[in-house]
């Protein structure tokens, strides 16, 4: 029995069955490559689901973690934490935001945004104005409030009653959004590009129209940039493509280059609603994670990461389009920067399994959309290798 098989057996015994895991036992990683416990290398175009944007074990992130680990791991938010302050300063300097609340995951960042929207609205307009409109096919997390916010019945099934106060409108349909607004509405929350829902890009002008709608009705505009933020679309934040600003934005995944962190960014007027005692997190923004966040942000901002994302994004798009011209079962390529989706007319699950066998990590969302979210440091040579493997699989279909 190989070392992998031994771990897989043990993994099926005492760990919850919440994930249908692939037969890969992760051991180490470097750049765009993940190595399993038996020494097999995989070209990683999933990047821990858009977390490892700087590649695996980026030396600057590792050095920041090692240095901080020797000084202070945790001290609680009763005290001021320099690394957390620095990270908040960097995020605010480069975004619309004035203040940042730190937590440990994307779902928690969205929970904070939902609480902030309700609290701001309750303080200003009274407690009857609590509804948040989100998009169908969205994904906002797995806690009870965030599955309630997620416009996908499959994710909600079996967990009712959901948290009241969420309504859904089809993504990209401005009229449907208008029709969903009632006197109870306090906010609109959406991903600028839907990740888990199938890499769905809204029509041009849609996000601006959503911003106008929020202004007209005094609604908070919350952008969930947990997957698309921090350089992945070719700008630091996805909202920057549309010359608008949200009032609140949530971040997580790539923010600390691998370690868990979440953040809710807000303009002063709204952030003020979360006064002392209204919200909190034991671990949120602790010295270790915040140090990794600072190193990650500095690297994204100064090492040509976003420029590389733009260049490699258009190269990958071209290569995927060439595959599309060869294979009739590829119906559409969409996305922006290095979040690209390939919609198929057939199921994608088996393609992902075959790719894994051949040393390529990709995934499939919404049943038939292959999703490509490689590290932003990916090279043309690695893209070529990926395309060769994919082409080989497609030829045999
Ligand atoms: C991953 C993701 C989340 C949830 O993040 P967790 O860290 O898993 O809680 C929320 N929103 C979007 C858009 C995501 O991609």
């Amino acid at each position: 029995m190989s070392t992998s098989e031994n771990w897989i057996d043990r993994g099926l015994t005492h760990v919850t069955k919440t994930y249908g895991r692939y037969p890969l036992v992760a051991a180490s990683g470097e750049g765009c490559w993940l190595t399993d416990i038996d020494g097999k290398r995989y070209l990683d175009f999933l990047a821990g689901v858009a977390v490892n944007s700087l590649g695996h074990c980026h030396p600057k992130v590792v050095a920041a973690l090692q240095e901080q680990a020797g000084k202070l791991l945790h001290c609680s938010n009763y005290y001021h934490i320099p690394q957390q302050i620095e990270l908040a300063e960097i995020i605010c300097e480069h975004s619309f935001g004035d203040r940042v609340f730190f937590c440990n995951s994307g779902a928690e960042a969205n929970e904070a945004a939902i609480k902030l929207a309700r609290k701001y609205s309750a303080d200003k307009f009274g407690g009857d104005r609590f509804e948040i409109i989100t998009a169908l096919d969205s994904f906002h997390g797995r806690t009870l409030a965030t599955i309630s916010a997620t416009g996908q019945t499959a994710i909600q099934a079996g967990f009712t009653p959901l948290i009241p106060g969420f309504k859904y409108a089809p993504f990209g349909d401005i009229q449907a959004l208008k029709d969903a607004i009632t006197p109870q509405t306090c906010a609109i929350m959406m991903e600028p590009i839907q990740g888990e829902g199938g890499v769905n890009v809204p029509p041009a002008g849609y996000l601006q129209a959503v911003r106008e709608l929020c202004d007209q009705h005094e609604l908070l505009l919350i952008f969930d940039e947990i997957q698309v933020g921090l350089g992945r679309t070719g700008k630091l934040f996805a909202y920057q493509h549309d010359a608008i600003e949200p009032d609140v934005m949530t971040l997580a995944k790539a923010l600390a280059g691998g370690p868990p962190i979440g953040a809710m960014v807000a303009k002063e007027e709204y952030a003020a609603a979360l006064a002392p005692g209204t919200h909190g997190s034991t671990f949120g923004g602790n010295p270790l994670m915040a140090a990794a966040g600072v190193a990650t942000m500095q690297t994204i901002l100064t090492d040509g990461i976003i420029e590389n994302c733009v260049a490699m994004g258009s190269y990958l798009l071209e290569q995927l389009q060439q595959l599309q011209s060869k294979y009739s079962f590829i119906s559409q390529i969409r996305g922006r920067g290095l979040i690209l989706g390939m919609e198929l007319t057939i199921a994608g699950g088996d393609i992902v399994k075959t790719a894994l066998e051949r040393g390529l990590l990709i995934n499939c969302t919404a049943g038939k959309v292959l999703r490509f979210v490689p590290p932003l440091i990916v090279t043309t040579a690695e893209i070529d290798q990926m395309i060769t493997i994919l082409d080989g699989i497609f030829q045999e279909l």
Side-chain angles (χ1 to χ4, degrees), residues 49 104-108 110 139-143 146 191 193 195-196 224-228 250 252-253 261 371:
V49 196
N104 315 290
S105 67
E108 280 177 88
N110 285 335
F139 182 77
H140 297 297
R142 296 288 195 160
T143 63
T146 56
E191 301 152 86
I193 294 175
E196 303 303 305
D224 177 341
E225 293 227 13
I226 289 165
Q227 186 156 156
V228 296
T250 52
K253 292 198 161 86
I261 193 169
R371 176 173 47 174

Side-chain angles (χ1 to χ4, degrees), residues 181-212:
I181 296 172
T182 71
Q184 271 79 54
T185 310
C186 73
I188 293 174
M189 173 164 156
M190 60 176 55
E191 301 152 86
I193 294 175
Q194 292 186 330
E196 303 303 305
V199 192
N200 303 319
V201 184
Y206 174 72
L207 295 176
Q208 281 111 331
V210 175
R211 176 71 270 181
E212 278 168 33

Side-chain angles (χ1 to χ4, degrees), residues 265-391:
V265 186
K267 289 182 183 166
E268 177 69 36
E269 183 189 354
Y270 307 107
L274 292 183
T278 55
H279 195 49
S281 164
T282 298
F283 290 124
N286 88 6
L288 191 66
M289 299 313 161
V294 169
T296 301
M297 286 301 292
Q298 284 171 344
T299 305
I300 291 174
L301 289 165
T302 60
D303 281 7
I305 301 294
I306 297 177
E307 293 78 357
N308 192 65
C309 172
V310 172
M312 292 306 107
S314 54
Y315 185 72
L316 176 56
L317 179 66
E318 276 169 32
Q319 302 309 307
L320 294 175
Q321 282 167 341
Q322 281 186 19
L323 287 181
Q324 187 185 13
S325 64
K326 257 173 98 172
Y327 299 103
S328 61
F329 56 81
I330 303 174
S331 52
Q332 198 185 30
I333 314 282
R334 55 181 184 250
R336 197 162 217 173
L338 283 173
I339 174 162
L340 294 174
M342 174 185 266
E343 181 154 352
L344 308 174
T345 56
I346 53 174
D350 286 343
I351 295 170
V352 172
K353 280 185 200 153
T354 310
L356 181 96
E357 285 163 18
R358 298 184 189 183
L360 170 67
L361 305 182
I362 52 172
N363 94 324
C364 177
T365 65
K368 50 188 174 57
V369 181
L370 299 182
R371 176 173 47 174
F372 305 91
V373 283
L376 307 185
I377 58 161
V378 72
T379 62
T380 51
E382 286 161 340
I383 291 173
D384 290 344
Q385 263 177 289
M386 194 284 289
I387 293 290
T388 303
I389 296 172
L390 209 56
D391 197 6

Side-chain angles (χ1 to χ4, degrees), residues 2 43 54 100 134 164 177 198 201 208 255 264 277 287 300 334 342 351 354 374 386 396:
S2 74
L43 181 53
L54 298 179
V100 186
T134 66
L177 200 56
V201 184
Q208 281 111 331
L255 182 54
M264 181 202 60
I300 291 174
R334 55 181 184 250
M342 174 185 266
I351 295 170
T354 310
M386 194 284 289
E396 294 164 22

